């Protein structure tokens, strides 16, 4: 069996420092996950990533502080008011502090993401960030994960203690969600204008998404000079209208992660490449960032994701060790 000659030529150029185009990104995503080309893609991405990031793996954490039926009605999210089984819940200060202390006690957490709902009041969001900022080590970054917001609000997030924010143009935006692409990109522009680090990702990937659709969104992260890029698959929720499509394999997710690595690896702004949810194949395909999680999780149907879909710090460390990383 021989690999595609055009593919091999492109891989050689990538190893020499070539930053791939949107068309090349789409081309690489077009190979079957079981193909020789996909295997080479994953292997080369792993090698390049370890060189660029000095074999360092970074642990991030996320606390799902609030949960409620969400009017955004995203068809892939367990919080959608159309089919959620969750009732409204908000962590009190003591529960937040305990979760933050558990994540930061070992000193190994690079950043802590604080996730609230799309319709959580902005004052409540600022209060959460400022309280956690005063609680955790100064070296631990805070990532704000919330709905759309303005440039003025982005500056307020930074003033409250946030170092970055997670926001993406998602697959199916406007059809699988009630939000527009313009809304999402406007918020990303607000993040950049405020001097916050942009945490970005291609998500939520399902079997129905084409290489062209994925390539467009992957490249947008590079356009906005994201701090972290990555890939996340959609988790099948039984009550979701998208459940009929199923979900992609970890093998396909790893292949997509590898292509994201090729897109991002030579950008001076890129600090890390994530794979969500954490898995060893992704960490052997270019990713060097995984998230431990506690509290609510939009990919879970349990109110406490830790011990269900979510991992703790020790589990993340073991995964890195199995994949040969230094933390």
């Amino acid at each position: 069996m021989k690999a595609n000659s055009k593919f091999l030529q492109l891989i050689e150029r990538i190893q020499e420092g070539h930053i791939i185009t949107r068309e090349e990104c789409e081309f690489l995503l077009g190979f079957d996950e079981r193909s020789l080309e996909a295997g080479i893609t994953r292997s080369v991405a792993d090698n390049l990533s370890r060189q660029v990031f000095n074999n360092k793996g970074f642990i991030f954490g996320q606390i799902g502080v609030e949960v409620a039926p969400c009017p955004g009605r995203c068809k892939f999210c367990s919080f959608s008011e159309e089919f959620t089984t969750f009732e409204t819940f908000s962590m009190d200060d003591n529960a937040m502090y305990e979760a933050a202390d558990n994540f930061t006690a070992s000193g190994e957490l690079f950043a802590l993401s604080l996730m609230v709902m799309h319709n959580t009041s902005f004052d409540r969001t600022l209060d959460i960030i400022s309280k956690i900022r005063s609680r955790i080590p100064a070296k631990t970054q805070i990532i704000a994960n919330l709905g759309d917001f303005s440039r003025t609000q982005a500056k307020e997030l930074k003033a409250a203690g946030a170092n970055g924010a997670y926001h993406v143009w998602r697959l199916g935006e406007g059809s699988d969600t009630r939000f527009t692409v313009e809304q999402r990109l406007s918020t990303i522009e607000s993040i950049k204008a405020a001097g916050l680090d942009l945490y970005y990702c291609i998500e939520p990937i399902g079997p129905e998404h084409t290489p062209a659709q994925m390539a467009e969104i992957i490249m947008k992260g590079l356009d906005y000079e994201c701090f972290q890029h990555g890939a996340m698959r959609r988790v099948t929720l039984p009550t979701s209208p998208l459940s009929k499509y199923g979900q992609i394999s970890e093998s396909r997710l790893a292949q997509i992660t590898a292509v994201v690595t090729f897109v991002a690896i030579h950008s001076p702004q890129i600090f890390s490449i994530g794979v969500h949810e954490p898995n060893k194949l992704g960490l052997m395909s270019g990713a060097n960032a995984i998230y431990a999680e506690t509290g609510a999780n939009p990919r879970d149907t349990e109110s406490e994701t830790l011990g269900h879909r979510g991992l703790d710090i020790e589990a993340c460390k073991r995964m890195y060790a199995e994949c040969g990383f230094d933390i």
Side-chain angles (χ1 to χ4, degrees):
M1 181 184 294
K2 292 184 178 180
N4 179 287
S5 59
K6 179 182 174 183
F7 166 82
L8 290 175
Q9 290 171 3
L10 177 56
I11 287 293
E12 185 172 346
R13 293 178 62 209
I14 290 169
Q15 291 176 295
E16 293 171 350
H18 172 65
I19 299 175
I20 65 175
T21 65
R22 177 173 161 179
E23 292 73 21
E24 290 166 340
C25 180
E26 182 179 344
F27 170 69
L28 291 171
L29 291 169
F31 290 99
D32 187 275
E33 67 189 80
R34 297 156 292 190
S35 67
L36 176 59
E37 289 83 0
I40 294 171
T41 297
R42 293 193 297 266
S43 178
V44 172
D46 179 51
N47 182 262
L48 285 176
S49 179
R50 289 178 192 267
Q51 289 182 47
V52 170
F53 298 119
N54 296 314
N55 201 47
K56 298 295 184 184
F58 294 92
I59 299 176
F60 294 75
Q62 178 161 286
I63 302 174
V65 178
E66 299 202 334
V67 62
C70 181
R73 297 189 176 187
C74 300
K75 295 178 182 179
F76 45 77
C77 179
S78 63
F79 303 148
S80 170
E81 67 180 12
E82 286 192 309
F83 55 82
T84 189
T85 58
F86 287 118
E87 296 182 358
T88 300
F89 171 79
S90 180
M91 281 187 177
D92 61 27
D93 288 355
N94 288 334
M96 282 196 308
Y97 295 154
E98 182 180 2
D101 290 348
N102 287 340
F103 273 136
T104 58
S106 70
E108 294 164 311
L109 192 76
F110 175 78
L112 180 61
S113 174
L114 301 172
M115 187 190 73
V116 297
M117 301 302 298
H118 177 79
N119 54 348
T120 297
S121 78
F122 193 70
D123 285 343
R124 165 67 172 156
T125 302
L126 293 177
D127 183 59
I128 290 167
I129 292 171
S130 62
K131 284 178 176 176
I132 296 298
R133 178 72 281 166
S134 67
R135 179 84 177 187
I136 64 175
K139 69 175 184 177
T140 306
Q141 306 285 291
I142 288 181
I143 307 167
N145 188 345
L146 64 155
D148 290 300
F149 51 89
S150 69
R151 293 196 177 198
T152 298
Q153 289 173 320
K155 293 176 182 177
E156 292 180 82
L157 289 171
K158 187 173 183 179
N163 304 96
Y166 178 79
H167 215 74
V168 306
W169 166 18
R170 297 166 298 186
L171 288 158
E173 204 77 78
S175 57
D176 292 340
T177 78
R178 283 191 162 187
F179 308 108
T180 66
V181 174
E182 290 74 21
Q183 278 178 275
R184 306 299 288 182
L185 297 185
S186 176
T187 298
I188 288 174
E189 289 167 2
S190 296
I191 291 168
K192 296 296 295 184
L196 292 165
D197 293 327
L198 171 62
Y199 288 76
Y200 189 83
C201 185
I202 166 76
E203 59 113 325
I205 310 165
E208 75 277 18
H209 295 128
T210 67
Q213 290 171 323
M214 289 188 282
E216 183 176 25
I217 290 178
I218 289 170
M219 298 306 295
K220 188 61 70 173
L222 197 65
D223 291 343
Y224 282 108
E225 299 181 336
C226 61
F227 181 75
Q228 182 181 91
H229 212 318
M232 180 193 300
R233 68 176 175 175
R234 186 180 68 231
V235 173
T236 299
L237 302 170
T239 54
S240 165
L242 299 180
S243 63
K244 61 185 177 182
Y245 295 113
Q247 68 184 47
I248 63 171
S249 65
E250 286 189 359
S251 173
R252 178 61 169 163
L253 177 60
Q255 179 190 5
I256 296 166
T257 302
V259 176
V260 170
T261 301
F262 289 159
V263 169
I265 200 72
H266 299 297
S267 170
Q269 289 79 25
I270 290 290
F271 177 80
S272 58
I273 296 169
V275 61
H276 312 287
E277 293 163 337
N279 68 87
K280 295 173 186 175
L281 275 176
L283 289 178
M284 298 295 290
S285 302
N288 73 325
I290 53 177
Y291 283 69
E293 293 186 81
T294 191
N297 177 342
R299 301 174 307 284
D300 206 339
T301 55
E302 297 293 325
S303 58
E304 173 51 72
T305 194
L306 183 61
H308 195 242
R309 298 205 70 90
L311 301 181
D312 61 15
I313 296 290
E314 288 303 314
C316 290
K317 287 169 63 177
R318 287 194 297 271
M319 191 175 290
Y320 273 128
E322 290 287 353
C323 295
F325 279 89
D326 303 314
I327 298 175

